[in-house]
Amino acid sequence: MALIEFSDRGLYCPPANVYIDPWKSVDKAIITHAHSDHAKNGNGHYLCHPYTTAILKARLGENNYQSIEWNEVITINGVKISLHPAGHIIGSSQVKLEYKNEIWVFSGDYKVENDGISGSFEPVRCNTFITESTFALPIYKWLPQKVVYENIQQWIKQNQQEQVSSVLIAYSLGKAQRLLQPLSEVTETIFVHGAVWNMHQALINAGIHLPEVELITPLTPKEKLKGCVVIAPSGSESSPWINRFKPYEVGICSGWMQVRGNTRRSNADKGFVLSDHADWNGLLTAIKDTGAQKVFATHGFQSAFSRYLNEQGIEAAEVKTEYGDEDETIVEPNPLP
Ligand SMILES: [Zn+2]
Ligand SMILES: [Zn+2]
């Protein structure tokens, strides 16, 4: 029996009568994580991890939220529902549904390398696994994050010697938080754009410990910004906002920087291949570890990926959803406060 159907409102579990990450309003929604393509406004009831609830309260305002911890089980109409760490961003979760000896898992967005703040991706044994496929091509192979952080630190040190500001473009929910620790090792003050600041405040208020940051305002003295280190959302590098850091260099953090030419096309001085999604090997390992007999691939390279899985003897099909890859793209929706 299909525990999840692919409806025009989102992923739907008929026996429990709940949707997962619906893109149209529904009565009852389970939300994997707080990125706006997965968590929309207008649902009657939201079930998610407590950290996701905290971020959604800041993003969407008051709603009917219910929080459950990872591995806590709630039962709706006989369907056992639980959340499991997805390692993508703070609060991000996979959704496990169990009914009449059948187990389905929806991954949401995930990454398998532990970033130290998002929880460690947990492989969940299941019969059917619905996986994202944002970077599901063999060319996408991430270096260990430690190496990427060292490259970023090197670049910053070089800039500091030349009194040039380092502006890092990173998604305001996810990579912006991951960068704080490595950046704090090379600078006393981490400056942030308003969009990053708002997210930071929401997370601090939810009780999450993160290194301190300083908000850039029109009143921030220019001398203070000479040779500084800044985190800003994508889009800021091509807005007048960035002029206050002159002279500056721009470094973009995104999985898409793996593709030759993308750094140049995005007008960045440096591209750092840093992603909050699993790479090719990460996806394959995750899928294998679920032991699933059937795999559905969603948002990304789902058609090439499902074809590949079938060739490998894993029964797979592609599914069209309305989730995007905005947490990796070069233009973040409405980054400017
Ligand atoms: Zn996401
Ligand atoms: Zn996604």
Side-chain angles (χ1 to χ4, degrees):
M1 159 182 208
L3 286 191
I4 292 176
E5 288 175 357
F6 303 100
S7 83
D8 59 354
R9 302 197 156 261
L11 277 58
Y12 177 62
C13 175
N17 191 25
V18 296
Y19 288 81
I20 308 174
D21 292 357
W23 47 82
K24 287 184 186 155
S25 309
V26 300
D27 283 346
K28 274 191 237 152
I30 304 170
I31 303 294
T32 60
H33 67 291
H35 280 148
S36 57
D37 55 334
H38 287 262
K40 304 265 185 202
N41 220 341
N43 297 310
H45 185 268
Y46 293 75
L47 180 71
C48 42
H49 186 272
Y51 289 157
T52 300
T53 302
I55 304 165
L56 289 183
K57 277 184 180 165
R59 261 199 49 222
L60 308 177
E62 275 309 321
N63 268 308
N64 196 358
Y65 298 109
Q66 181 187 354
S67 302
I68 53 167
E69 299 287 345
W70 287 322
N71 287 295
E72 185 183 339
V73 178
I74 63 159
T75 306
I76 303 178
N77 299 341
V79 182
K80 288 184 186 162
I81 299 171
S82 55
L83 303 180
H84 303 266
H88 171 57
I89 60 163
I90 291 172
S92 67
S93 305
Q94 307 174 73
V95 179
K96 176 183 177 185
L97 304 171
E98 185 172 357
Y99 185 64
K100 295 184 176 167
N101 293 322
E102 176 90 13
I103 300 173
W104 287 48
V105 171
F106 174 46
S107 71
D109 292 343
Y110 66 100
K111 107 171 147 277
V112 290
E113 190 179 19
N114 187 345
D115 66 13
I117 52 173
S118 307
S120 180
F121 174 84
E122 180 190 323
V124 181
R125 302 288 294 181
C126 58
N127 304 102
T128 304
F129 185 53
I130 304 169
T131 180
E132 63 130 319
S133 59
T134 308
F135 290 107
L137 290 180
I139 55 159
Y140 294 107
K141 285 196 178 141
W142 311 149
L143 289 168
Q145 60 194 344
K146 189 175 163 284
V147 176
V148 182
Y149 294 158
E150 281 164 7
N151 292 340
I152 293 173
Q153 289 173 334
Q154 273 304 319
W155 172 70
I156 290 174
K157 283 182 192 161
Q158 180 69 39
N159 287 340
Q160 284 168 335
Q161 273 174 22
E162 295 160 11
Q163 291 250 311
V164 168
S165 298
S166 308
V167 183
L168 277 159
I169 302 299
Y171 203 77
S172 53
L173 175 56
K175 272 167 285 191
Q177 288 78 46
R178 278 177 83 184
L179 286 172
L180 295 177
Q181 184 52 43
L183 295 191
S184 71
E185 291 163 18
V186 289
T187 182
E188 212 135 277
T189 311
I190 302 168
F191 289 95
V192 297
H193 180 281
V196 176
W197 172 261
N198 292 343
M199 204 50 78
H200 191 85
Q201 292 312 108
L203 295 167
I204 297 284
N205 291 341
I208 294 159
H209 296 281
L210 293 170
E212 256 183 63
V213 299
E214 187 169 330
L215 172 66
I216 289 159
T217 74
L219 300 176
T220 310
K222 260 203 138 179
E223 319 76 82
K224 230 179 147 181
L225 297 178
K226 211 155 174 56
C228 73
V229 177
V230 193
I231 307 175
S234 42
S236 355
E237 75 279 14
S238 44
S239 92
W241 179 85
I242 201 169
N243 290 334
R244 70 193 75 196
F245 304 110
K246 272 179 183 168
Y248 63 82
E249 282 213 359
V250 172
I252 295 191
C253 302
S254 168
W256 300 121
M257 294 296 121
Q258 180 97 70
V259 177
R260 205 184 285 258
N262 271 356
T263 308
R264 185 173 32 80
R265 272 193 286 279
S266 60
N267 286 322
D269 303 291
K270 275 273 185 189
F272 297 107
V273 185
L274 185 70
S275 173
D276 277 333
H277 292 265
D279 66 357
W280 173 253
N281 288 330
L283 290 164
L284 293 178
T285 310
I287 288 168
K288 210 168 131 243
D289 289 351
T290 64
Q293 296 95 50
K294 169 99 202 204
V295 173
F296 289 101
T298 69
H299 64 308
F301 295 106
Q302 69 267 9
S303 96
F305 193 41
S306 51
R307 214 176 317 124
Y308 174 85
L309 291 173
N310 278 312
E311 284 163 16
Q312 302 302 306
I314 300 168
E315 195 193 333
E318 63 169 307
V319 175
K320 292 226 161 59
T321 57
E322 295 193 9
Y323 314 129
D325 64 341
E326 61 160 68
D327 43 9
E328 292 288 336
T329 47
I330 326 281
V331 181
E332 186 163 342
N334 315 315
L336 300 173

